[in-house]
Amino acid sequence: MTSITDTNKTAIARLANEQLQARIQGQVIAPDDPRYNEMRAAWNLTVDQHPALIVVVKSAADMAQTVRFAHTADLQVAVQATGHGVVRPADGSVLIITSQFTEVSVNAEARTAWVSAGTKWGKVLEQTQAVGLAPLLGSSPGVGAIGYTLGGGLGWLARKYGLSIDSVNCFDVITSDGRIIEASETQNSDLFWGLRGGGGGLGVVTGMEIRLYPITSIYGGTLAYPVEQARKVFQRYREWIATASDELTSSIGIMNVPPAPVFPEPLRGKTIVTVRGGFCGPLEQGEVLLKFWRDWQTPLMDDFQVLPFAQVAQISKDPLEPSAGVSSSVWLNNLNDEFVATLLEYAVARGGPSPLIAAEIRHTGGAIARVDPRANVFGHREAPHVLQMLGLGQTSEMQAAFRQRAAQFKQALQPYTLGVYLNFMSGEEARTHARDAFSAEAYQRLQTIKAKYDPDNCFSHSYDLAAADSTHNN
Ligand SMILES: Cc1cc2nc3c(=O)[nH]c(=O)nc-3n(C[C@H](O)[C@H](O)[C@H](O)COP(=O)(O)OP(=O)(O)OC[C@H]3O[C@@H](n4cnc5c(N)ncnc54)[C@H](O)[C@@H]3O)c2cc1C
């Protein structure tokens, strides 16, 4: 089974309607269904996928039935919660949409939450903040908790509490033959090791238990300076983070602000340097930390302030509406002056719009680097910074221009780079660069685990973990 003909498609749809629909609470949606076009869409508008079948699930049982159906029909399975991080379009496969399976249950005493497959971080945040606790979400509450976590999960509490994967107690997982198993330190510990950073290629996760932290406010926001000040801002930033505690997780970046009304007037159409972050220690110390910048010179923008943690998304102000974005990433070994010169050469728009809308470097280390690198598959924990390049991809020409600029930029950055962070890479690049995200030893072990739990590469829509001779390794 490699390509699906029209006759096959009709047969699959008929089989699914006869066999699968009766066994699930959710809906089976075939290509001729009026809901098909709406349901095959992803949050990222660059994705244009044509699954053989869409199954909108309501429960873990629905998910297991769907995987069993796909296994019997010899079809591959893709999973989508929101479509923020589609690695490979679900063409010709069964696409499990989890967005209607969004149960969250919080155990305030144990400081844990159970999060089901389709839950966005926003819902987890709301329910945990209600009892004074915080999850390790990222910059956007619209991102799916499970997809984010399978890739690592780097948010504004990361230097204090680590990556999202470092706070997972267990996952419930469906294997390619439809079995539901637990993956934890004591059950299927090899799978648990691989799921924490290895993406969705090992199994379909129906839910996870995560640990929570007692954070209800944060001192956070963004400073913006004119790009002409970039070298001085980088120099000052290096000084700032050299002495700051792990309670500060921050970033510095270049942004070519589009001339669009959604951006504040003083920034619109300009290239700026941004310093962003969140301080989760005593809030009055956050104010003191910012004095370092405020005593220096007046920025174009300064919205650092005490934020209820429920509003942590105010720090990055990521778009919540579906967008056409492309991104790429590398871990960095330092931010010295030579690095800054290269960054400015490739990231700053000159004489017209740039294919790169932003290049943001997050300060990592802290609790991320204190975890034993063998604890799970996640790689490059020792790196002090990670760079994400972002572009707009409304047309295939724009996507190609971004890819070309990002490739040249990464080539020039080679002396400073250590590997890639897959959550910050989009589409096919994430899939084909999986090897660069891990140590060689960890990647090899991941392939062995993949061969054990998904020998036929039924879950081939995530990072490429399959050995070269795998059945569906296309
Ligand atoms: C606006 C924006 C902000 C972001 N901010 C951050 C950030 O601050 N930090 C960070 O680390 N990352 C961040 N990311 C990256 C994000 O974490 C990844 O794109 C992530 O994969 C999105 O997960 P999702 O479930 O929302 O997306 P989806 O596209 O639905 O899923 C993404 C991937 O996860 C797999 N997957 C999803 N659910 C399951 C499941 N139940 N079982 C098995 N596999 C599954 C999918 O198959 C797919 O490969 C951001 C992305 C965007 C677009």
Side-chain angles (χ1 to χ4, degrees):
M1 188 281 320
T2 44
S3 72
I4 307 225
T5 63
D6 284 347
T7 323
N8 278 345
K9 278 186 198 160
T10 314
I12 290 162
R14 202 182 52 239
L15 205 62
N17 273 318
E18 284 168 10
Q19 296 182 3
L20 182 59
Q21 185 61 81
R23 294 191 191 131
I24 63 171
Q25 288 173 289
Q27 304 116 46
V28 168
I29 298 174
D32 61 355
D33 189 303
R35 296 165 296 179
Y36 180 81
N37 270 334
E38 185 194 334
M39 296 314 296
R40 73 182 180 84
W43 180 90
N44 190 323
L45 300 175
T46 63
V47 177
D48 180 24
Q49 54 190 355
H50 293 85
L53 199 70
I54 297 173
V55 184
V56 184
V57 296
K58 303 264 191 196
S59 63
D62 279 6
M63 293 171 82
Q65 287 290 356
T66 307
V67 174
R68 279 179 214 136
F69 172 82
H71 184 67
T72 312
D74 195 19
L75 288 166
Q76 293 185 53
V77 175
V79 189
Q80 185 172 303
T82 69
H84 277 75
V86 176
V87 175
R88 179 184 185 204
D91 294 330
S93 300
V94 175
L95 176 61
I96 299 180
I97 300 272
T98 59
S99 60
Q100 293 183 19
F101 177 31
T102 62
E103 284 158 27
V104 177
S105 82
V106 180
N107 183 336
E109 208 174 310
R111 291 188 176 172
T112 59
W114 180 263
V115 178
S116 62
T119 318
K120 293 180 190 173
W121 274 125
K123 184 170 180 183
V124 187
L125 183 62
E126 194 185 307
Q127 292 196 206
T128 55
Q129 282 291 283
V131 295
L133 295 170
L136 299 183
L137 78 164
S139 58
S140 169
V143 163
I146 303 271
Y148 166 92
T149 301
L150 292 172
L154 176 62
W156 294 120
L157 298 178
R159 284 176 43 79
K160 174 75 177 166
Y161 296 116
L163 299 165
S164 182
I165 44 170
D166 299 328
S167 282
V168 177
N169 287 339
C170 63
F171 295 100
D172 276 359
V173 187
I174 305 166
T175 57
S176 56
D177 53 2
R179 285 177 300 133
I180 305 181
I181 60 175
E182 181 183 307
S184 64
E185 290 293 359
T186 54
Q187 303 284 318
N188 302 298
S189 56
D190 52 354
L191 182 59
F192 187 52
W193 178 89
L195 285 169
R196 287 173 297 160
L202 298 176
V204 175
V205 174
T206 64
M208 63 178 178
E209 186 183 273
I210 53 170
R211 296 191 285 282
L212 305 168
Y213 299 94
I215 300 287
T216 51
S217 305
I218 193 165
Y219 197 86
T222 302
L223 296 162
Y225 295 93
V227 72
E228 293 73 23
Q229 302 282 336
R231 283 186 170 78
K232 286 188 193 149
V233 179
F234 268 86
Q235 194 179 2
R236 213 164 164 77
Y237 180 74
R238 288 191 301 250
E239 281 176 45
W240 194 48
I241 59 173
T243 51
S245 71
D246 291 348
E247 283 151 338
L248 176 70
T249 301
S250 63
S251 76
I252 184 164
I254 301 289
M255 189 173 178
N256 299 309
V257 185
V262 291
F263 296 100
E265 209 287 314
L267 309 183
R268 217 175 283 162
K270 295 206 171 90
T271 296
I272 54 169
V273 190
T274 57
V275 174
R276 265 192 190 134
F279 176 77
C280 64
L283 297 172
E284 60 288 357
Q285 280 181 30
E287 186 90 24
V288 175
L289 261 179
L290 259 291
K291 216 171 140 11
F292 179 83
W293 292 101
R294 288 173 177 154
D295 287 351
W296 181 48
Q297 53 174 277
T298 311
L300 292 171
M301 186 187 101
D302 171 4
D303 68 2
F304 264 91
Q305 60 188 304
V306 175
L307 292 170
F309 194 72
Q311 289 171 27
V312 65
Q314 281 307 312
I315 297 176
S316 293
K317 303 176 191 65
D318 286 340
L320 290 174
E321 291 303 309
S323 305
V326 271
S327 64
S328 189
S329 122
V330 277
W331 290 100
L332 299 170
N333 57 19
N334 76 62
L335 289 189
N336 63 20
D337 285 342
E338 291 76 33
F339 163 81
V340 175
T342 311
L343 174 79
L344 297 179
E345 189 184 338
Y346 285 89
V348 174
R350 288 171 212 284
S354 166
L356 243 67
I357 195 159
E360 183 177 23
I361 300 144
R362 295 206 203 181
H363 183 207
T364 48
I368 302 169
R370 283 194 292 275
V371 171
D372 183 339
R374 291 161 305 177
N376 49 51
V377 69
F378 196 83
H380 307 295
R381 283 180 180 278
E382 75 290 1
H385 303 279
V386 63
L387 165 68
Q388 184 178 28
M389 304 162 205
L390 288 159
L392 295 176
Q394 278 102 338
T395 62
S396 51
E397 290 77 18
M398 288 167 85
Q399 293 169 27
F402 172 82
R403 292 280 164 232
Q404 191 183 13
R405 174 67 63 90
Q408 291 164 345
F409 189 5
K410 282 190 287 183
Q411 178 70 27
L413 284 179
Q414 258 185 3
Y416 317 101
T417 60
L418 295 166
V420 303
Y421 176 39
L422 294 172
N423 261 4
F424 285 169
M425 286 185 130
S426 57
E428 194 58 23
E429 195 189 17
R431 190 177 138 70
T432 51
H433 282 74
R435 198 179 280 270
D436 303 331
F438 314 107
S439 71
E441 192 188 4
Y443 185 69
Q444 211 174 13
R445 182 171 177 211
L446 199 53
Q447 286 190 308
T448 311
I449 296 166
K450 169 83 175 172
K452 174 174 167 190
Y453 289 95
D454 181 22
D456 296 330
N457 199 8
C458 177
F459 307 127
S460 75
H461 291 276
S462 183
Y463 316 142
D464 187 10
L465 313 179
D469 59 352
S470 173
T471 315
H472 291 308
N473 192 30
N474 38 15

